[in-house]
Amino acid sequence: MRTDTSANTTPVQAVSRTAAAELIAAVRAAADRIGFPAAVAVFDPGGHLKAFDRADGAPFLTAEVAVDKAWTAASFGIPTHAWNGYLADPQVTPLAGHPRLMAVGGGYPVLADGRCVGGLGVSGGSYEQDREAAEEALAALGFDLPADR
């Protein structure tokens, strides 16, 4: 994991610009290997877009979906596929109406030392392919994968 800190004495507060670019490159490599054109978004933990890329041939809707997956993952620090179970609870179901909440696999929090430092959203393949590309990229860069992955 790239922390961009000297002597690693300061905990990472947010995914760096360099790490965001490396995440996009790693997702693109995974998506190419899996066989789908991906849109990829990286957010900081405050819900701001840090980096974005859409491959040639990726449908235009994938851009918005990737952004919403990254935003959802960063906002609660949990993978987007976990929302399917949460939304089955009548006490949580009203959140399904939030325009940016994305309960489809492919969004992951970017975790460093157990802390959410951003969100990653991948769209363009099936939800399984999106999840696989995201997990592969996070692991390749040394970010923690959530326990409920």
Side-chain angles (χ1 to χ4, degrees):
M1 160 187 56
R2 180 173 300 269
T3 60
D4 291 337
T5 60
S6 61
N8 229 4
T9 58
T10 306
V12 177
Q13 300 297 316
V15 64
S16 70
R17 190 180 103 183
T18 301
E22 290 175 352
L23 277 169
I24 286 176
V27 168
R28 292 283 307 269
D32 287 347
R33 182 189 58 72
I34 296 166
F36 70 96
V40 187
V42 180
F43 271 63
D44 70 17
H48 301 97
L49 184 63
K50 192 78 170 185
F52 175 81
D53 181 69
R54 183 171 67 93
D56 294 339
F60 69 85
L61 182 58
T62 62
E64 186 175 333
V65 173
V67 164
D68 289 347
K69 286 179 181 182
W71 180 87
T72 300
S75 67
F76 285 91
I78 58 174
T80 52
H81 63 271
W83 279 96
N84 288 300
Y86 298 143
L87 293 174
D89 179 342
Q91 299 299 315
V92 181
T93 300
L95 285 175
H98 191 285
R100 294 201 63 190
L101 184 72
M102 186 58 61
V104 177
Y108 282 86
V110 179
L111 302 172
D113 300 321
R115 300 188 55 220
C116 181
V117 297
L120 172 65
V122 179
S123 182
S126 68
Y127 72 91
E128 294 102 340
Q129 291 172 320
D130 293 349
R131 285 180 62 178
E132 182 180 350
E135 287 182 8
E136 190 174 306
L138 289 166
L141 294 179
F143 287 106
D144 303 330
L145 288 171
D148 59 346
R149 59 179 208 153

